[in-house]
């Protein structure tokens, strides 16, 4: 007897949120690749449980000492994007990175970027403002649900120009 598995088709809204989320993840990794410090390019990735449409679950999560992203399914089967940024006390290159991340987050979920209006998919019920503490907590749990991924360093154009000028 054949065993059939029921897979729920994603609604157009959820598909648009999911597509936007993974574009944001890709852009976030591109931003992180410009950070020279190795430990700040380490990310913990969690891929969700067996069924994507399981209510009140995390489908995908990116935990980094500077930024946080999560794709979640709520009790009404709607996808949402939860985020966080590390707060910095003074202006530095990392505060510029978090500012760019926020602009990317909202640009890629804007009605101009998607065929379906997903403006309300950004979950602002609470915003994580201490990503480094979250990263350490997940790291101390021995990666039970997460896997370590190191974003490769990619020198920015301005850094390359500085290196050539010195040489």
């Amino acid at each position: 007897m054949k065993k059939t598995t029921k897979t729920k088709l994603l609604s157009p809204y959820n598909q648009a949120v999911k597509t936007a989320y993974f574009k944001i993840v890709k852009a976030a990794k591109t931003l992180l690749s410009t950070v020279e410090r190795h430990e700040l390019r380490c990310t913990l990735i969690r891929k969700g449980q067996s069924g994507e449409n399981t209510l009140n679950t995390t489908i995908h999560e990116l935990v980094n000492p500077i930024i946080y992203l999560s794709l979640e399914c709520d009790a009404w089967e709607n996808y949402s994007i939860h985020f966080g940024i590390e707060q910095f006390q003074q202006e530095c290159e990392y505060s510029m990175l978090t500012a760019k991340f926020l602009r990317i987050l909202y640009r890629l979920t804007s009605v101009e970027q998607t065929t379906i209006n997903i403006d309300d998919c950004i979950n602002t019920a609470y915003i994580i403002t201490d990503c480094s503490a979250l990263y350490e907590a997940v790291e101390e749990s021995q990666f039970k649900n997460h896997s370590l991924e190191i974003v490769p360093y990619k020198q920015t154009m301005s850094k390359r120009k500085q290196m050539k000028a010195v040489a």
Side-chain angles (χ1 to χ4, degrees), residues 114-136:
T114 59
T115 56
I116 296 172
N117 185 354
I118 60 168
D119 275 340
D120 62 344
C121 75
I122 303 295
N123 182 348
T124 57
Y126 62 96
I127 298 170
I128 295 173
T129 58
D130 195 356
C131 295
S132 58
L134 176 61
Y135 181 87
E136 288 175 14

Side-chain angles (χ1 to χ4, degrees), residues 24-25 27-37 40-43 62 64-69 83-88 90-105 131 151-154 156:
I24 296 164
V25 167
K29 287 180 179 180
T30 300
L31 280 175
L32 291 172
S33 72
T34 64
V35 176
E36 287 185 47
R37 289 181 53 195
L40 296 179
R41 287 183 280 110
C42 294
T43 58
L62 180 148
N64 175 272
I66 300 175
I67 61 173
Y68 171 82
L69 263 175
F83 72 97
I85 57 170
E86 183 74 13
Q87 290 185 320
F88 296 99
Q90 55 194 2
E91 288 295 315
C92 67
E93 65 180 292
Y94 307 126
S95 62
M96 292 299 295
L97 187 137
T98 57
K100 286 179 185 178
F101 170 72
L102 288 175
R103 286 193 295 276
I104 288 168
L105 176 71
C131 295
V151 177
Y153 176 64
K154 185 176 180 187
T156 61

